[in-house]
Amino acid sequence: KFMAKFYITTPIYYVNDIPHLGHAYTTIAADILARYYRMKGEKVFFLTGTDEHGAKVAESAQKANKTPKEWCDEMSARFQLAWDILNISYNNFIRTTDKNHESAVKKAVQRLYEKKFIVKGKYQGLYCVGCERYYTEKELVNGKCPHHQKPLQLYSEDCYLLRLSIFQRPLLQLIQDGTLIIEPSVRKNEIISFLTKEKLEDISISRQKVKWGIKLPWNKTQTLYVWIDALLNYLTGIGWKGDKEVPDFWPADLHLMAKDILRMHAVIWPALLLALEIPLPKKIFAHGFFTINGEKMSKSLGNVLDPIEQAKNFSSDGLRWLLISSFPFSVDGDISLEKFYEKYNAELANGIGNLVARVLTLATKNQNLKFKIQNDNLEFKIQIKKVYENYEKALEKLAFDEATRKILEFVAFCDKYINENEPWKLIKTNLDQFKKVIYNLLEALRQIAWLIQPFMPETADKIFNQLGILSIEKKKNLEEAKRWGIPQFDSIKKGESLFPRM
């Protein structure tokens, strides 16, 4: 068992989708947390992946004149490419077509069947082909699917049902008493309201007509519904075999997702775990949506932004920063490329990038100078202590925008310090004082590199490299790093601009 561990998941993304900024938003947030907890010295497991079964996948493959597996291989690779470009440091990229996943899922549903949590039945309901799920009348918007805005089809078929109804009271109790934490509170209240006012019905977990999926072990004429298969990835992705014994990393510390799939994760998923006698995850966090120029992102409007293209435009680190800091993570917000350009120039080019360039230009004025350890600056010590306290509190409550604001406030403090001390004059009049001032600024850059590391890992490494301390800093954890006045700076080199103005 690990002394300190952190297990974080994103949802696994539907393989028929093209990676867009909405997917990137969730994944970057998860990556920032994974990097932050690694910085703290914790053992981290970060899981993401692709959801690859179902009728729509088979249909798309047929249209492309490919087998479903060939189609999935190509489509899944697009997500992996996007996450590589965005420097996503996942520990496992699970695919629901992985053999070990399929084997574990079969064992799990067999156990549920033997324990009478899955029973034979008939299901009739309004079915959305796009979502590959049934909807109740109350869930519809103007009589149409809330996500695809298309009429639903009335389906009736023999199937197997998960006895979800028996978990209504236990689930409500577990959420109300905080055993299963749902955040933000508005989302928790939504689920409590749903479980209080609506009667949970037993739900279909299999289909007869769908061939591309995991066959039910006791009835191979039926395939498991794609969303049951997909939910179990959170266990199989860390090595679960489908039995009672769970891997060391379970329970998950955090399931991260957009709010549109909260109900599935806060109702069906914990019900499955209770039936399997497996502990519940510690926390589910459902973040808000963003609109683009005030409009919902959609293919028909042509406003779906490709993260690979935008990473070329703003750089990988730049896009990570812009996406995660534009508005609070827990609420809906609006973005636009125009706002991104303004924010990039203000915070990255004129903010962090300009400070690094200013300090390194001053520090390399005289190539013979060495900047020895000066840990007696009380003003900087107080300032950086306060920054870290607020920064860590913000990240632990997933307030990414707050954390980035604290970094920018410290950058502004450093700029003010330069202007007040005028080191360009001190180099001519008081060399000892010049060296003290520059040491404080170099040490401030080291601290900034640590602070931005979860958000902009490439930029952090560039700063460490320019300070001549990259290999030293890589050996530290956050507690060691945030002590003020540790290193000596004697091999500084001014590199290229971190964020060229756009």
Side-chain angles (χ1 to χ4, degrees):
K1 300 281 181 187
F2 302 115
M3 290 297 290
K5 59 94 179 169
F6 185 77
Y7 175 32
I8 181 171
T9 75
T10 69
I12 51 173
Y13 301 111
Y14 186 45
V15 78
N16 262 18
D17 286 344
I18 294 169
H20 56 65
L21 284 193
H23 301 126
Y25 186 56
T26 311
T27 312
I28 289 166
D31 187 62
I32 289 166
L33 291 171
R35 289 176 182 275
Y36 168 67
Y37 283 101
R38 287 186 194 117
M39 255 171 37
K40 285 167 69 74
E42 296 198 16
K43 187 81 174 172
V44 171
F45 200 102
F46 169 20
L47 180 70
T48 189
T50 42
D51 173 10
E52 303 187 8
H53 288 130
K56 269 181 72 184
V57 174
E59 187 183 303
S60 298
Q62 189 175 22
K63 283 179 184 173
N65 202 24
K66 298 179 189 296
T67 67
K69 185 62 168 65
E70 286 170 342
W71 175 254
C72 290
D73 288 346
E74 286 185 21
M75 302 298 281
S76 180
R78 294 194 302 185
F79 279 93
Q80 293 182 61
L81 174 64
W83 300 162
D84 285 350
I85 287 168
L86 288 173
N87 273 318
I88 304 301
S89 61
Y90 55 77
N91 295 85
N92 187 18
F93 186 99
I94 188 170
R95 298 178 55 189
T96 55
T97 51
D98 292 342
K99 294 301 173 197
N100 59 342
H101 170 79
E102 291 185 353
S103 168
V105 168
K106 283 179 183 176
K107 282 186 192 172
V109 294
Q110 180 69 42
R111 281 174 58 210
L112 292 174
Y113 181 64
E114 288 167 3
K115 293 169 75 173
K116 306 282 191 282
F117 287 114
I118 291 175
V119 294
K120 197 168 189 339
K122 194 178 187 71
Y123 198 87
Q124 180 172 304
L126 295 166
Y127 184 77
C128 172
V129 176
C131 294
E132 297 198 56
R133 61 159 283 197
Y134 288 100
Y135 282 94
T136 63
E137 292 277 4
K138 289 181 180 177
E139 291 176 297
L140 305 184
V141 177
N142 300 321
K144 296 178 181 178
C145 167
H147 301 297
H148 294 91
Q149 286 79 53
K150 289 180 181 176
L152 281 81
Q153 300 173 24
L154 185 64
Y155 273 17
S156 175
E157 62 181 352
D158 292 329
C159 63
Y160 288 86
L161 302 171
L162 175 68
R163 297 177 63 202
L164 188 63
S165 55
I166 64 176
F167 293 101
Q168 182 144 13
R169 290 181 67 82
L171 283 173
L172 184 59
Q173 182 63 44
L174 288 164
I175 294 166
Q176 284 177 326
D177 69 18
T179 302
L180 176 60
I181 298 168
I182 300 172
E183 290 183 352
S185 56
V186 65
R187 304 290 163 233
K188 174 184 176 180
N189 293 338
E190 276 177 21
I191 298 298
I192 288 174
S193 174
F194 169 70
L195 289 171
T196 305
K197 295 175 183 174
E198 302 287 333
K199 184 178 182 301
L200 280 188
E201 294 181 359
D202 296 345
I203 55 170
S204 173
I205 61 112
S206 71
R207 298 283 315 275
Q208 248 178 342
K209 296 173 186 174
V210 178
K211 303 303 176 196
W212 177 242
I214 297 174
K215 301 276 185 265
L216 294 185
W218 63 89
N219 184 345
K220 293 186 170 53
T221 66
Q222 301 239 351
T223 55
L224 188 64
Y225 248 127
V226 63
W227 44 265
I228 290 280
D229 158 21
L231 285 168
L232 289 167
N233 95 89
Y234 301 124
L235 284 160
T236 61
I238 50 171
W240 183 60
K241 306 297 184 191
D243 45 30
K244 281 188 178 180
E245 191 177 339
V246 292
D248 283 343
F249 270 105
W250 193 262
D253 293 85
L254 180 63
H255 284 324
L256 205 55
M257 68 204 61
K259 62 183 182 180
D260 59 330
I261 53 172
L262 173 62
R263 195 175 290 182
M264 185 182 291
H265 283 81
V267 177
I268 298 171
W269 175 225
L272 280 172
L273 291 170
L274 290 173
L276 289 164
E277 299 177 66
I278 290 173
L280 300 186
K282 294 177 187 176
K283 185 188 292 186
I284 295 170
F285 192 103
H287 65 72
F289 288 153
F290 58 76
T291 51
I292 297 175
N293 293 313
E295 293 182 315
K296 188 178 178 182
M297 191 165 54
S298 79
K299 291 176 190 173
S300 58
L301 290 171
N303 65 351
V304 176
L305 295 178
D306 178 356
I308 295 175
E309 284 302 311
Q310 298 314 316
K312 287 177 190 171
N313 195 16
F314 295 105
S315 80
S316 169
D317 275 7
L319 181 62
R320 287 168 64 102
W321 178 275
L322 295 170
L323 258 184
I324 210 67
S325 65
S326 288
F327 52 87
F329 193 58
S330 58
V331 299
D332 295 347
D334 187 65
I335 62 169
S336 71
L337 288 180
E338 185 183 0
K339 287 176 192 170
F340 273 8
Y341 280 111
E342 289 171 6
K343 191 173 171 62
Y344 174 96
N345 282 332
E347 296 176 4
L348 300 179
N350 299 342
I352 294 167
N354 184 56
L355 176 67
V356 172
R358 281 182 90 185
V359 173
L360 295 179
T361 299
L362 288 163
T364 52
K365 282 271 186 195
N366 184 331
Q367 295 292 340
N368 298 318
L369 293 180
K370 308 294 180 194
F371 298 96
K372 295 181 180 177
I373 295 169
Q374 306 273 346
N375 57 13
D376 57 351
N377 191 295
L378 191 59
E379 185 184 16
F380 267 101
K381 280 183 177 177
I382 292 168
Q383 187 70 22
I384 200 67
K385 185 173 183 290
K386 189 169 71 173
V387 170
Y388 272 114
E389 281 173 3
N390 291 324
Y391 167 90
E392 291 187 60
K393 277 181 196 167
L395 282 182
E396 278 158 28
K397 65 180 184 181
L398 279 64
F400 301 105
D401 62 317
E402 273 184 44
T404 57
R405 264 200 311 278
K406 295 305 165 190
I407 296 169
L408 293 173
E409 284 171 12
F410 186 59
V411 169
F413 170 83
C414 294
D415 277 323
K416 185 168 175 275
Y417 179 80
I418 294 172
N419 295 337
E420 287 174 350
N421 284 276
E422 300 180 319
W424 54 88
K425 290 181 181 176
L426 290 175
I427 197 169
K428 297 172 185 173
T429 60
N430 187 338
L431 199 57
D432 284 345
Q433 185 58 22
F434 170 80
K435 286 196 278 188
K436 282 185 179 180
V437 167
I438 296 300
Y439 181 87
N440 288 331
L441 290 167
L442 292 170
E443 174 64 345
L445 292 188
R446 184 182 75 87
Q447 299 290 355
I448 288 167
W450 273 93
L451 290 162
I452 67 169
Q453 198 166 196
F455 297 87
M456 300 190 288
E458 285 185 358
T459 306
D461 281 357
K462 284 177 185 175
I463 295 172
F464 288 142
N465 193 44
Q466 289 174 332
L467 294 173
I469 55 171
L470 180 61
S471 59
I472 298 166
E473 296 304 302
K474 286 291 182 186
K475 294 172 186 171
K476 295 176 183 170
N477 62 36
L478 188 59
E479 279 308 304
E480 296 167 321
K482 65 187 184 183
R483 281 173 42 218
W484 181 265
I486 305 171
Q488 181 165 307
F489 301 101
D490 51 18
S491 52
I492 303 156
K493 48 186 176 290
K494 191 183 175 193
E496 292 178 1
S497 174
L498 295 177
F499 298 103
R501 188 172 167 77
M502 299 182 88

